[in-house]
Amino acid sequence: MWKVMAADDEAYVRDALGQLIPWEEFDCKIQIVSDGQTLIEEMDTEHPDIIITDIRMPGMDGLEVCQYVSQYCPETQVIILSAYSDFSYARTAMRYGVFEYILKVELVEELPKAIEKVIHTLEKQRAEILDDYADISKESGSQDLYQRMVQYVERNYRKVITLADIAEHLHANQSYLSRLYKSCSGVNLFDDILTRRIEKSKECLLASDWKIHQVAAYVGFEDAGYFSRVFKKQTGLSPKEFRNAREPKT
């Protein structure tokens, strides 16, 4: 079954997504939230195959969601919903590799067609994954490439890096690198990068009096709020609680 996550701040659109689209016919299960930030937070644990997002929402908007997915989850397919036909929105969305751009007035007619096309693309990806796993297990060169990935991550995990950056540096295909890393290490590439950043941030919190946003920036997080949420998810404590809990008692 395909995992679908959707975000829209308008209740009538959420209702339409949940009730008017025949998800079971597409072998899909959908989860709907009301804003982009919640969508991103849930993505970290749900790992959806398809994202559907409104382009304009309070807080984190759809274009920011697209940017995040492009950077951290490049194999996830994104469909944009918009009440606006302005080409500048569509152009920006396409720059982030968005699969489809649908006007809300055409949602009931056009979204099922887009879902059908997305699933066809995902099925092709899965077939490629199986082929790649077979190649990974056979080719000794893949181990060398994996080691180069590990070295690159170790040198650069505190920077804002994307899979495209790694692929360009290693002169290799992005999707192949993502699957290679998961196959060899057992973990998702960007899950590993997040873990490395959190471990480094623990050192910074204990060894310095930097403010939380300074620690976040130092270990590669552009958003201090997102850093705090990831930190708490991995440690059970907020950065401030972690620091206070380990300060020597006087």
Side-chain angles (χ1 to χ4, degrees):
M1 178 169 283
W2 304 103
K3 287 186 178 181
V4 182
M5 293 192 68
D8 199 292
D9 63 319
E10 296 179 294
Y12 83 93
V13 177
R14 297 197 298 273
D15 291 342
L17 287 169
Q19 301 173 20
L20 301 182
I21 307 299
W23 296 108
E24 291 184 0
E25 293 181 15
F26 295 114
D27 194 28
C28 290
K29 180 179 180 181
I30 187 168
Q31 178 180 346
I32 305 172
V33 299
S34 60
D35 62 87
Q37 187 62 59
T38 302
L39 177 65
I40 293 299
E41 292 171 4
E42 294 293 329
M43 278 183 63
D44 289 342
T45 55
E46 295 298 326
H47 304 293
D49 303 294
I50 304 168
I51 292 292
I52 302 169
T53 179
D54 187 7
I55 203 165
R56 294 188 68 177
M57 295 178 287
M60 178 177 282
D61 65 22
L63 292 179
E64 291 175 298
V65 170
C66 293
Q67 184 179 19
Y68 178 91
V69 173
S70 175
Q71 182 173 355
Y72 294 110
C73 314
E75 294 179 8
T76 299
Q77 301 297 322
V78 180
I79 296 172
I80 284 283
L81 299 180
S82 180
Y84 306 90
S85 56
D86 189 330
F87 179 69
S88 64
Y89 286 119
R91 180 175 56 195
T92 304
M94 296 307 168
R95 191 170 73 236
Y96 293 128
V98 168
F99 189 89
E100 197 73 84
Y101 188 99
I102 296 174
L103 295 178
K104 290 184 180 181
V105 295
E106 301 174 343
L107 185 152
V108 176
E109 296 80 15
E110 297 299 322
L111 185 56
K113 299 176 187 177
I115 292 296
E116 191 171 12
K117 289 193 292 184
V118 168
I119 289 174
H120 179 67
T121 296
L122 290 169
E123 288 173 341
K124 288 177 62 177
Q125 283 185 352
R126 284 195 173 180
E128 291 172 359
I129 288 171
L130 292 175
D131 290 342
D132 283 348
Y133 279 157
D135 292 341
I136 289 168
S137 65
K138 293 176 183 177
E139 297 177 9
S140 59
S142 295
Q143 190 63 34
D144 294 334
L145 184 57
Y146 168 69
Q147 291 299 330
R148 290 167 61 199
M149 287 184 72
V150 170
Q151 292 170 3
Y152 184 91
V153 168
E154 288 176 345
R155 290 194 302 267
N156 297 282
Y157 72 90
R158 290 192 292 109
K159 302 176 183 177
V160 178
I161 58 174
T162 67
L163 189 57
D165 295 329
I166 300 173
E168 181 178 1
H169 180 78
L170 299 179
H171 307 291
N173 177 269
Q174 293 185 44
S175 295
Y176 180 76
L177 289 178
S178 177
R179 294 191 282 268
L180 173 65
Y181 200 90
K182 178 67 177 290
S183 176
C184 292
S185 69
V187 296
N188 176 276
L189 170 61
F190 284 99
D191 286 345
D192 189 26
I193 289 174
L194 285 178
T195 298
R196 290 171 184 265
R197 288 173 174 171
I198 295 304
E199 290 303 311
K200 187 65 176 179
S201 73
K202 290 179 183 178
E203 297 177 16
C204 294
L205 288 166
L206 298 181
S208 76
D209 59 358
W210 289 357
K211 296 184 182 299
I212 302 303
H213 72 86
Q214 293 174 313
V215 173
Y218 180 72
V219 298
F221 286 89
E222 294 180 298
D223 184 326
Y226 179 60
F227 161 68
S228 294
R229 286 188 289 273
V230 174
F231 191 97
K232 187 162 188 177
K233 183 180 293 184
Q234 292 204 13
T235 68
L237 299 170
S238 71
K240 184 177 180 180
E241 290 169 340
F242 177 86
R243 171 180 273 164
N244 291 341
R246 284 157 177 76
E247 287 182 348
K249 305 297 181 181
T250 58

